Amino acid sequence: VTAQIPQTAVGGSLLSNGLLVAIVVLLHIQIAAYLIGSTTLAAISEAVSMVRRHGDERHDRLAHGLVQSSAYVFGFGSAVAIFFVMLALLVYWGKFFVALQQITFPTFFLEAVAFAVEIALLYTLYANWQRLARYRRARLGLLILLNLTYWWQMFFIDVVASFMLTPNGGDVDILSQFLNPTQLPLTVHRTIGNVAWAGAVIAFAGAVRYLGVTRRLERAVRGDQPAPALAPHPPMAPSRMQSERPLPAFPAAPRTVGAMAATETATEPREAYEARYWDWVAQWGAVWAIGLTIFQPWVGYSYAKEIQLHAYPAWSLMMFGDLSNVFLLQIGLLGIIFTLGSVYFWRRMKASRASNYRRQGIIAVLLVVVTVWAVQPAWFAPTYADTLAAGLAKPWWEGGLLNPFGNFIPYKVGALTAMFLLGLWSLTSYMRAVSRDQVLPARTGRRSQWLLLGLGVSVSAMMMVMGVIREHARQPYLINGELTISNQQITNNQASPKGGSIR
Amino acid sequence: MIRSTLRFLMPKPNLKGRLRSAYSWFDERTGATELLHKGLYEAVPRRGGWAYTLGSATLALILLQLFSGIFLLLDYVPSVEEAWPSLHFLQTQDAFGAWVRGLHLWGAYTLILIIGLHGLRTFLSASYKRPRELNWVTGAILFLLVLGLAITGAMLPWDDAAYWTTTVVTNILHYFPVIGDGLRTLWRGGSFVGPITLTRTFAIHIWVLPFLLFSFIGVHLYLLRRHGEFGAWINYNTSSDDPEREIAERIRAVEPPYPTKRIEKRYAAPSETVNFFPDQLAKDTAVSVLLIAVIFVMGRLAGAPLDEAANPATLTYVPAPEWFYLPLDQFLVLTPQFPLIAVGIFVIVVAGGLAFTLLPFLDRSHERRPTRRPEVLVPALFMIFTVIFLAMLGVNRLYNL
């Protein structure tokens, strides 16, 4: 490590290397996750539209919108990333950053290469989207290439992030660093999480736009102007709903987005069309957000298991120590996400009188019960250590403070299992109704959109809480067991079990 | 001169005629021609023919396993003292011995992969629905039997890997409530893994499971012929303005084994069919030959590993399951100990196995398109993801041991 780098950590305050770094890092993660997830969903929409015999105007428009939003966010996100590296890593933890660079140089190098490729691909797509409409396979190919580059970049940054928690013996060999124990679960966790997050952002944006459009329509109704698409449909018999498509999807459209305006005006007023479109966008995003979050309890549990096996102090801090209550907040947010999704599906199905809509209501109630079950503190004390010190680590019926349902593993695993099963049931039930054409567009009330706003905020909060837990679980280390935060001292001068150390 | 003399002494036999009369004699007694005709000239759906080759490929691979297994039996001795030396001899001294072991191992790997893909294809195309429920049930049982053959086969070499596989697998049984200990003792032939364990495992691998396997293959093929290949929903699309008339016309013109009985009219007969021979059989043969060629190459290049002879006292050997059991192994690693391990093993695994086997009775809707069956597709995707993810975690764990 060179002598020019400060040998001690720069003294900071809450506003400097405390809050500021946290804000920059969390912003960086949320933007990066959105970029990756939204590009994946754009490629999926583009592919769906291409596969359908007559195209799909909704997916065309959504794919274009996602590419545009990616381009806008990418510029700002890059600036945040560079600011993060320059400020947080070089200024505050220079020695750590240099040490990390020395160890994981190939990953940072590949990261930079991916960055350059992304700029070229994203700009090409953004600037030439409509020109490329005549070459849709090429456009889809470019989108997939952009996706692969994003995933590639995420894989390499996951190598660094997981190495910091489970360094696998320190600077041993490059393969051990790449394939350290938490690398795989973290990558899968983020792969799923990124798409779910993008889905939540899309649902949020769709809800906001739907609220705006319907407000204008309501004003139009108050002014005695007709609003055809929002006028209540006559009640339908279940058999009719199952056998017909009472409100057809968007008209078979020309394959270019530019032709959309003509299609709209030819069939229905602009505002009604917009309401149908944004309602569809909102539910499409919600399906991805909920659908992929279902995997997260299972993947997250596997991730925690690897941390338990390879970085026990960090795991103990998360599950039994100061972070245990923060972890409960995390589980609570997970339950809230599922519950909000289920209530949204319920209201949507109910508005269309879809069969079995009451089942969604029951699932939502069960989800609330399971969430309460999951988040109750295992020990009614600040930490497990406090409970032990007070001699109260025994069941409540013996006068102790142990949770009535037992130790951490049985009840929390049981609650999480129930949570993902209920989430799966809720999603499946909703998708079944959609596949039978029982859920009609633009029937959802304005209040239901607030559920999606809550969903977006909850997913964002969960990502933040997760970041806080992961970064604090290593304390007092920056690289677990190897390099401390305080004075950035390298503590592991001994050869590691695999024969290496951070030096 | 000599030639003309011989021709005079031995008049030219009418070989063709003699063979024909011999075949007539044989056919009169066995009905072989009719059987062949029935087997080869039945109609199958035209679209998606390459996807349907996986069933025939599975059968071809099972036969390859049978023949390579017979060759291994010529040398293998099922006793704890002789099992490893006999295979070591086969591997190092016998001509082609190592290759035959490689064939058996890579044949098993490929078989598991192909039977899994065959099941996936059947699931996606909803071919398991009425009246083909029992086709699926027998197929699912065949899949489980193949897995059973694979795991019992892995126990036979009696090297370190086989010994510890036997120890772990037979030990799993004791988590079964009430009768678990008894089941473990029954398989092991005592409290510990020993000579009787190997003998019993050998008997299961050589007699019990193959008997069941070939019995169920017979039933599976009979049911396939009875109801005909369903194929996929794309074979039943209509293109005219009058779908009902088109379907009625299709049913009237179709050849046996169609129209399928006890099914909605729409799915009674495919829109276009071809004869099994030569159209489909050519595709089946091509895929099977290709797979067998790959197995021959892999058997030669990679062979089959043989660790040191089993040493129950070793403290350094790290047992690792075969790749197809990695998901289950990792699931056990992740399942917390008492009281959840019994739930993990028996409630979740058994429930999963039952749901897989009894799928046709759980999915009662008439829908055939995957996008119209989210109630089974979404949970199935979750299951598939879980299995793949567990396998990846298993590899990750073994690498970072």
Side-chain angles (χ1 to χ4, degrees):
Chain A
V1 177
T2 58
Q4 285 79 15
I5 301 301
Q7 290 298 304
T8 57
V10 175
S13 63
L14 180 69
L15 283 176
S16 60
N17 61 354
L19 198 59
L20 186 64
V21 169
I23 290 171
V24 171
V25 171
L26 291 173
L27 205 57
H28 171 57
I29 287 177
Q30 301 220 338
I31 288 173
Y34 173 73
L35 286 172
I36 299 170
S38 65
T39 314
T40 304
L41 291 179
I44 289 171
S45 278
E46 181 71 354
V48 168
S49 176
M50 286 171 70
V51 166
R52 290 194 171 156
R53 195 179 297 172
H54 302 295
D56 192 321
E57 194 174 332
R58 300 168 306 182
H59 281 290
D60 281 346
R61 186 176 168 186
L62 180 62
H64 190 195
L66 288 173
V67 169
Q68 280 179 316
S69 74
S70 287
Y72 302 146
V73 172
F74 189 89
F76 177 64
S78 314
V80 169
I82 292 163
F83 182 65
F84 162 54
V85 171
M86 300 301 283
L87 176 86
L89 294 180
L90 277 176
V91 174
Y92 290 120
W93 300 309
K95 188 176 172 182
F96 155 70
F97 184 60
V98 171
L100 197 64
Q101 277 283 350
Q102 287 174 336
I103 298 165
T104 58
F105 178 76
T107 53
F108 277 108
F109 177 75
L110 294 168
E111 183 86 7
V113 171
F115 214 42
V117 176
E118 282 158 15
I119 290 168
L121 286 171
L122 186 57
Y123 184 75
T124 305
L125 281 165
Y126 170 72
N128 302 290
W129 184 263
Q130 298 205 11
R131 284 191 200 97
L132 287 168
R134 281 187 298 170
Y135 312 100
R136 291 196 74 177
R137 286 185 181 177
R139 192 165 77 180
L140 180 65
L142 286 175
L143 257 178
I144 292 172
L145 207 57
L146 179 61
N147 255 287
L148 292 174
T149 318
Y150 275 136
W151 293 119
W152 157 288
Q153 195 173 33
M154 187 199 72
F155 173 82
F156 287 114
I157 207 64
D158 286 352
V159 168
V160 178
S162 56
F163 175 80
M164 288 165 66
L165 184 57
T166 50
N168 216 18
D171 188 12
V172 184
D173 64 80
I174 194 164
L175 198 63
S176 294
Q177 290 163 15
F178 269 60
L179 303 177
N180 71 74
T182 53
Q183 203 278 333
L184 173 74
L186 178 64
T187 298
V188 177
H189 198 49
R190 283 187 170 176
T191 303
I192 293 166
N194 290 345
V195 182
W197 166 233
V201 173
I202 291 169
F204 189 96
V208 169
R209 296 296 296 269
Y210 183 80
L211 285 171
V213 171
T214 49
R215 178 177 295 163
R216 287 196 291 277
L217 278 162
E218 278 181 358
R219 282 178 186 159
V221 170
R222 276 203 300 273
D224 295 324
Q225 292 171 18
L230 287 187
H233 290 257
M236 285 170 287
S239 58
R240 189 186 157 200
M241 283 196 295
Q242 283 166 9
S243 61
E244 293 180 17
R245 293 174 179 237
L247 193 61
F250 287 74
R255 291 199 167 195
T256 59
V257 174
M260 188 189 282
T263 316
E264 293 153 15
T265 48
T267 53
E268 57 186 331
R270 169 90 189 180
E271 295 297 310
Y273 173 88
E274 287 293 302
R276 281 154 55 100
Y277 174 70
W278 289 112
D279 184 47
W280 172 82
V281 167
Q283 67 90 39
W284 174 254
V287 164
W288 283 102
I290 300 297
L292 290 178
T293 304
I294 287 169
F295 292 103
Q296 292 295 45
W298 174 230
V299 176
Y301 175 76
S302 309
Y303 183 27
K305 187 73 184 178
E306 292 300 327
I307 298 173
Q308 184 191 22
L309 291 172
H310 298 278
Y312 187 81
W315 182 85
S316 181
L317 197 64
M318 283 193 287
M319 300 300 166
F320 296 116
D322 292 337
L323 290 173
S324 59
N325 289 326
V326 186
F327 201 82
L328 289 180
L329 177 62
Q330 170 89 340
I331 294 179
L333 283 167
L334 192 67
I336 288 170
I337 288 167
F338 283 134
T339 309
L340 287 172
S342 181
V343 174
Y344 173 72
F345 293 151
W346 171 44
R347 290 183 66 94
R348 214 174 144 71
M349 288 168 72
K350 187 181 174 188
S352 301
R353 292 283 182 271
S355 60
N356 295 323
Y357 75 86
R358 287 186 184 85
R359 192 182 291 165
Q360 283 287 358
I362 295 168
I363 295 171
V365 172
L366 289 174
L367 275 165
V368 171
V369 172
V370 167
T371 306
V372 171
W373 180 24
V375 298
Q376 56 180 319
W379 295 276
F380 298 96
T383 67
Y384 181 55
D386 296 338
T387 315
L388 276 178
L392 295 172
K394 50 191 176 184
W396 61 276
W397 57 87
E398 292 175 12
L401 288 175
L402 278 186
N403 188 279
F405 294 96
N407 207 335
F408 164 76
I409 291 296
Y411 93 85
K412 204 164 286 181
V413 170
L416 281 174
T417 306
M419 207 181 273
F420 89 74
L421 285 176
L422 287 169
L424 191 64
W425 190 14
S426 167
L427 180 79
T428 304
S429 176
Y430 175 71
M431 289 186 71
R432 185 177 187 276
V434 171
S435 76
R436 310 285 201 267
D437 299 323
Q438 293 175 358
V439 181
L440 310 175
R443 287 287 187 86
T444 327
R446 287 170 55 82
R447 283 184 192 169
S448 299
Q449 307 306 316
W450 287 94
L451 296 165
L452 296 184
L453 300 184
L455 179 76
V457 171
S458 304
V459 176
S460 172
M462 193 166 78
M463 289 169 76
M464 285 192 243
V465 172
M466 198 179 336
V468 168
I469 292 172
R470 197 185 57 243
E471 294 307 311
H472 284 79
R474 286 196 310 269
Q475 285 188 2
Y477 296 102
L478 279 169
I479 298 176
N480 198 31
E482 304 275 353
L483 187 72
T484 59
I485 293 173
S486 139
N487 299 324
Q488 301 179 62
Q489 293 293 312
I490 294 170
T491 59
N492 182 9
N493 293 326
Q494 304 293 322
S496 72
K498 287 210 170 190
S501 77
I502 202 87
R503 291 184 165 183
Chain B
M1 178 69 186
I2 297 170
R3 201 175 282 174
S4 59
T5 312
L6 281 173
R7 206 176 286 153
F8 175 75
L9 291 174
M10 298 171 65
K12 186 183 175 186
N14 184 0
L15 194 62
K16 233 179 195 175
R18 286 188 184 184
L19 282 176
R20 193 176 292 136
S21 64
Y23 182 75
S24 298
W25 182 91
F26 181 74
D27 188 34
E28 195 179 313
R29 280 149 187 84
T30 59
T33 304
E34 191 189 337
L35 202 65
L36 266 176
H37 201 271
K38 193 171 168 52
L40 291 175
Y41 291 97
E42 289 206 332
V44 291
R46 192 183 70 80
R47 298 182 69 185
W50 287 105
Y52 316 145
T53 58
L54 296 170
S56 304
T58 302
L59 183 60
L61 294 175
I62 287 173
L63 292 175
L64 178 72
Q65 288 305 94
L66 178 74
F67 291 121
S68 56
I70 288 171
F71 279 104
L72 289 179
L73 269 179
L74 297 178
D75 273 9
Y76 178 76
V77 183
S79 79
V80 291
E81 287 85 15
E82 295 297 326
W84 187 87
S86 64
L87 285 182
H88 189 255
F89 173 83
L90 177 95
Q91 192 98 346
T92 54
Q93 307 295 321
D94 230 350
F96 304 113
W99 197 356
V100 174
R101 270 202 79 214
L103 276 181
H104 203 63
L105 181 78
W106 285 96
Y109 287 173
T110 316
L111 174 58
I112 290 168
L113 191 69
I114 296 298
I115 199 172
L117 288 175
H118 180 50
L120 187 65
R121 199 279 299 162
T122 311
F123 170 75
L124 288 176
S125 60
S127 305
Y128 53 82
K129 297 202 170 197
R130 188 180 179 189
R132 297 178 175 85
E133 295 97 329
L134 292 179
N135 295 42
W136 173 271
V137 172
T138 51
I141 291 171
L142 283 170
F143 177 67
L144 298 175
L145 287 171
V146 165
L147 286 181
L149 277 159
I151 197 66
T152 50
M155 298 174 186
L156 297 181
W158 216 246
D159 54 358
D160 275 331
Y163 178 82
W164 290 107
T165 300
T166 309
T167 306
V168 172
V169 170
T170 53
N171 199 46
I172 288 175
L173 290 176
H174 98 281
Y175 290 110
F176 202 91
V178 186
I179 56 169
D181 285 341
L183 288 174
R184 180 174 63 177
T185 308
L186 182 68
W187 192 346
R188 286 184 173 179
S191 299
F192 302 101
V193 170
I196 303 176
T197 318
L198 179 60
T199 317
R200 288 184 180 177
T201 306
F202 178 72
I204 293 169
H205 184 77
I206 300 300
W207 296 113
V208 180
L209 294 179
F211 170 75
L212 292 171
L213 188 80
F214 284 102
S215 305
F216 276 101
I217 286 173
V219 177
H220 194 67
L221 290 178
Y222 164 74
L223 290 170
L224 177 71
R225 282 305 182 189
R226 178 174 165 78
H227 301 301
E229 177 77 65
F230 179 73
W233 70 94
I234 49 172
N235 285 295
Y236 301 87
N237 285 343
T238 50
S239 53
S240 69
D241 294 334
D242 189 354
E244 285 192 15
R245 189 173 169 184
E246 187 183 341
I247 289 167
E249 180 62 33
R250 195 186 287 174
I251 290 173
R252 194 164 53 247
V254 78
E255 291 177 20
Y258 305 108
T260 309
K261 290 171 187 164
R262 290 173 295 281
I263 196 170
E264 308 94 86
K265 271 191 174 176
R266 179 191 174 88
Y267 297 117
S271 55
E272 291 173 90
T273 59
V274 289
N275 277 332
F276 178 72
F277 175 80
D279 299 70
Q280 187 61 36
L281 189 62
K283 289 176 183 165
D284 288 359
T285 309
V287 170
S288 299
V289 167
L290 180 71
L291 287 172
I292 289 171
V294 169
I295 291 167
F296 267 77
V297 171
M298 291 308 293
R300 183 67 182 170
L301 296 181
L306 187 66
D307 287 345
E308 294 296 313
N311 176 14
T314 181
L315 295 174
T316 54
Y317 184 78
V318 179
E322 289 281 3
W323 62 268
F324 44 87
Y325 274 104
L326 266 177
L328 190 60
D329 185 65
Q330 184 64 22
F331 183 67
L332 294 180
V333 170
L334 290 178
T335 308
Q337 291 296 311
F338 181 83
L340 289 185
I341 194 153
V343 176
I345 293 173
F346 295 107
V347 177
I348 295 179
V349 174
V350 173
L354 279 176
F356 167 67
T357 309
L358 301 177
L359 174 68
F361 307 104
L362 300 176
D363 177 18
R364 308 292 295 171
S365 77
H366 298 300
E367 298 290 348
R368 306 271 175 164
R369 290 167 186 266
T371 52
R372 297 233 157 201
R373 294 185 289 133
E375 61 270 33
V376 289
L377 197 72
V378 172
L381 283 176
F382 183 82
M383 284 293 296
I384 291 168
F385 166 82
T386 301
V387 168
I388 294 171
F389 180 56
L390 283 173
M392 288 162 69
L393 281 176
V395 174
N396 183 55
R397 179 173 55 84
L398 293 174
Y399 177 78
N400 284 297
L401 273 175

